Amino acid sequence: MKEYRNEHIVVYWYPERCAHVGYCLRLPQVFDLQRRPWVDVNGAPPEEIIRVINQCPSGALKYALPAGSKVDPALAEGPNALDYAAKHPPAVKAAA
């Protein structure tokens, strides 16, 4: 897992989960495969980054808000929020 942060957002990338669908590349000022590091959390407002990460179908990109972030916490409760699974447990669990 790689972590990219600023005072308003933390982006986590799990490369082993990445399916390379490319939804993140819709925000090239943040996600650029030709740049190192390839994620620049200062490239766009955190709200835009959250919208794009919530579209990541593989879950390879996650986000969280650090203490003191000015982002509305209600906005950061989407499907790829780092703590989404803990807050939204599955309705059905498979038996072992």
Side-chain angles (χ1 to χ4, degrees), residues 6-9 46-47 50 65-75:
N6 65 21
E7 65 273 12
H8 300 296
I9 190 167
E47 295 84 359
I50 288 169
L65 300 180
S69 175
K70 294 181 180 173
V71 175
D72 179 358
L75 179 65

Side-chain angles (χ1 to χ4, degrees), residues 27-89:
L27 193 59
Q29 61 271 38
V30 174
F31 303 101
D32 182 348
L33 298 175
Q34 305 305 312
R35 185 180 55 227
R36 294 294 178 259
W38 80 285
V39 178
D40 177 6
V41 293
N42 296 310
E47 295 84 359
E48 285 185 46
I49 296 171
I50 288 169
R51 276 193 288 280
V52 167
I53 291 176
N54 278 333
Q55 296 174 21
C56 178
S58 68
L61 289 168
K62 303 276 186 193
Y63 60 87
L65 300 180
S69 175
K70 294 181 180 173
V71 175
D72 179 358
L75 179 65
E77 295 182 357
N80 283 342
L82 188 63
D83 61 355
Y84 183 84
K87 290 182 178 179
H88 302 88

